[in-house]
Amino acid sequence: MPIIEPENGSLTVFNLFNTTDSEKQKTLLDAMRGIIANANYPGWRSSTLHAGVARPCAANYIQWRSIDDLKERYDGENFKHNTVPYFTDLTTSVHLLKTEVVSVQTKDGGSLTEIGPDRDDFTVIVLMGCDPKHQSELVSMFEKPDSWMRQVPGYRSHSILRALDGDMVVNYAQWDDAASYEAFHTMPEEQRPAHDRQMRARGKSLLTSRESNTYGVVFSRSRQGDAS
């Protein structure tokens, strides 16, 4: 099962797909599952496929050895002339986001977390756009250990990733279920501790955009392991 941790040296890529309806989402997920099941590209380490819950979409969390390996894959003729046109027909948008893991916090205080369908996580991926000059400050705020979060009912983990292009910070969070996440997300500001209110206020002032969606992991495979 793939592991998120800052020290594993992987390039992390989010392939994010939006589509129009549940039928196209199913077709998209089936196609992605087939690609992951047969993946054997140089430098590829793992792929974890997520199905959108709040709206029809998909996310593939991919770990690569290096950016050169990623470039070799996407510069390939089969990818450019067959894979790209096929997914263009199925989707309304495709976003490839190159990142690196900065920090991980879990409910039990650990610094790494697993991702995979056997865990039954309710996953939230938050994309926070920013001016490159503010990325370091945002990362510094969000990567700080937060003992209060570990006490929030339903919280499992969150991982902070820095976009290599400098214009985004990603929060990949795991929860017990939708109800737990919604209770936290809609919690009145006055019920949050002072440090959390201050961080949220400062973060909002630095963001140029914010987009989030909820997912369930449906398939995962790594080079060393079998398909899940």
Side-chain angles (χ1 to χ4, degrees):
M1 188 176 294
I3 293 174
I4 303 177
E5 61 175 332
E7 305 301 327
N8 71 2
S10 291
L11 167 73
T12 300
V13 174
F14 289 89
N15 267 352
L16 304 168
F17 306 88
N18 287 311
T19 189
T20 56
D21 54 58
S22 59
E23 283 301 311
K24 284 191 175 181
Q25 182 189 37
K26 182 180 183 302
T27 303
L28 176 65
L29 291 169
D30 288 344
M32 288 300 302
R33 187 189 298 262
I35 291 172
I36 294 169
N38 293 287
N40 191 30
Y41 315 111
W44 172 82
R45 290 179 169 176
S46 75
S47 293
T48 304
L49 183 62
H50 303 63
V53 174
R55 63 177 185 267
C57 61
N60 191 9
Y61 183 103
I62 317 169
Q63 294 174 319
W64 289 89
R65 178 177 57 192
S66 71
I67 199 164
D68 290 336
D69 296 311
L70 172 70
K71 188 174 186 299
E72 181 178 347
R73 158 65 174 154
Y74 290 114
D75 282 349
E77 293 301 310
N78 181 60
F79 181 81
K80 289 191 291 187
H81 298 298
N82 295 310
T83 305
V84 170
Y86 180 72
F87 284 113
T88 299
D89 290 340
L90 284 176
T91 61
T92 56
S93 68
V94 179
H95 189 187
L96 186 148
L97 182 61
K98 301 181 291 294
T99 71
E100 63 178 1
V101 179
V102 177
S103 68
V104 177
Q105 175 179 287
T106 67
K107 189 175 186 66
D108 62 5
S111 59
L112 60 84
T113 190
E114 295 181 337
I115 54 175
D118 294 341
R119 286 177 48 91
D120 194 31
D121 295 307
F122 183 78
T123 301
V124 184
I125 300 176
V126 184
L127 309 178
M128 296 174 282
C130 63
D131 188 300
K133 68 184 179 183
H134 293 142
Q135 189 192 50
S136 293
E137 182 179 352
L138 283 168
V139 168
S140 295
M141 285 194 305
F142 294 133
E143 72 172 335
K144 291 178 180 177
D146 190 338
S147 58
W148 175 73
M149 275 299 304
R150 291 166 52 195
Q151 308 306 314
V152 174
Y155 168 80
R156 292 184 177 181
S157 79
H158 70 278
S159 304
I160 301 301
L161 302 96
R162 178 186 71 87
L164 299 188
D165 289 341
D167 60 355
M168 193 166 289
V169 177
V170 182
N171 184 359
Y172 180 100
Q174 297 170 315
W175 291 81
D176 285 349
D177 49 41
S180 299
Y181 170 69
E182 188 63 21
F184 166 76
H185 184 61
T186 59
M187 183 184 296
E189 288 295 306
E190 62 270 19
Q191 293 182 17
R192 299 174 183 271
H195 79 275
D196 186 64
R197 296 197 303 271
Q198 293 166 1
M199 181 184 71
R200 286 162 60 85
R202 179 57 178 162
K204 287 178 181 178
S205 75
L206 298 178
L207 298 186
T208 57
S209 65
R210 185 186 186 280
E211 179 183 355
S212 67
N213 199 19
T214 55
Y215 300 88
V217 177
V218 294
F219 188 71
S220 186
R221 178 172 169 261
S222 63
R223 182 175 291 278
Q224 295 79 17
D226 296 326
S228 298

